[in-house]
Amino acid sequence: MHAARAVAAELGVDVVVLTPGSDLRYLCGYDAHAMERLTALAVPRSGEPLLVVPRLEAPMVDASPAGALGLELLAWDETDDAFALLAREVTARLGTAPTRVAVGARTWAEHALGVHRALPGSALELATPVLDRLRMVKTPAEVEELAAAGAAIDRVHARMGEWLRVGRTEAEVGADIAAAILAEGHVGVDFTIVGSGPNGASPHHELSDRVVQAGDLVVVDIGGETATGYRSDCTRTYVVGGEPGAEVTEWYAVLQDAQEAAVAAVRPGVTAEQVDAVARDRITAAGWGEHFIHRTGHGIGLDTHEAPYIVAGNDLPLEAGMAFSVEPGIYLAGRVGARIEDIVVCTDEGVRVLNQGPRGLVVLPG
């Protein structure tokens, strides 16, 4: 919270207001439930932070990591105007009404507008520049949490032959994967993508009743949340009940080379867009560029998708501690697709890869 206050002051922001979500959890350890009642952490550029919560949830704050911080708690009753209470306390700390109020990017509109109405002379903006500065660079402890999450999702991929078989539907396979995500060390399932045959050409395909056929390529992209809130995300592509054809073998080799080259390019000082270009240029040079239809990667931490984004136009230099995916894909619309995804961490020496297991086409018996 003190680091957030320092960055806010540097950027000229008077107060950062965060409602339930990963930003709130990151700063004070309280994993609050989002609802219509206002819960908000206010971090003014001067004075101590405060946490505004419904009185009925105050015991939950005390029981959370936030309870050990000595954070001032402002519990409000059902007939109180929580936004007016927040505005009053922030103004008292600043000695004047704030003019720049930064709210979390995923704040509900009714809460953001409520804060703005209570501070009518203020300009509302996103707190992303403040929070990204802190959250993009992981501490060693955060990296180890991500490594544990990565190992847990690797264990699920290692068991794929138990469920991914000819004659089963994507939905059936997905249900088994979801159960395994929990069994192998997660507390929540974030997503299970099982894209078989032509469905593999849709990168965010949802589970369907399509039956897996002999010889299908199947894209399996899965991830979950660990007990500490850190996330896993890993994609592998499988061949079920057959061997890949010559064309698939050709372009998959291109994809694997591009993914490996992009991972190897990660080191401090290289920009996010340069990593994207390494993967994209190799795929384009081999004639498959039009079939790589998304960015190369995204940051990961308490959210599955967070900064930094590994995409053209992002000239952010990488720093040691930044964690993100490297996941190029090739998608032949209506026919077939493939993706290879690992979570990596930029280190002082170069790169640490948090996912293991084979990256080539994994052939499973039918």
Side-chain angles (χ1 to χ4, degrees), residues 160-161 164 215-217 237-244 249 358 360-366:
M160 203 57 59
L164 185 51
D216 272 352
L217 258 67
T237 303
Y238 299 87
V239 184
V240 185
E243 294 292 332
T249 300
L361 279 172
V362 179
V363 179
L364 299 177

Side-chain angles (χ1 to χ4, degrees), residues 13-71:
V13 171
D14 293 313
V15 61
V16 174
V17 179
L18 302 175
T19 54
S22 57
D23 286 338
L24 176 64
R25 185 174 187 176
Y26 180 82
L27 284 196
C28 74
Y30 182 38
D31 187 17
H33 176 65
M35 60 177 177
E36 76 284 357
R37 294 183 176 96
L38 179 68
T39 292
L41 173 69
V43 183
R45 58 175 166 73
S46 62
E48 291 302 308
L50 70 145
L51 185 60
V52 175
V53 296
R55 189 173 301 280
L56 77 167
E57 296 198 347
M60 297 168 61
V61 178
D62 291 335
S64 77
L69 297 179
L71 181 64

Side-chain angles (χ1 to χ4, degrees), residues 288-313:
W288 300 97
E290 66 181 290
H291 303 291
F292 180 14
I293 58 176
H294 54 70
R295 65 194 174 203
T296 293
H298 57 81
I300 190 169
L302 290 175
D303 288 314
T304 306
H305 287 192
E306 59 182 56
Y309 294 99
I310 311 305
V311 64

Side-chain angles (χ1 to χ4, degrees), residues 76-118:
W76 58 274
D77 295 308
E78 296 283 20
T79 56
D80 290 334
D81 182 338
F83 298 102
L85 294 174
L86 175 68
R88 183 193 69 202
E89 292 296 325
V90 166
T91 300
R93 280 162 169 72
L94 294 173
T96 184
T99 58
R100 292 181 61 190
V101 178
V103 298
R106 299 176 188 177
T107 301
W108 285 8
E110 66 176 308
H111 293 154
L113 294 174
V115 169
H116 193 227
R117 282 194 297 270

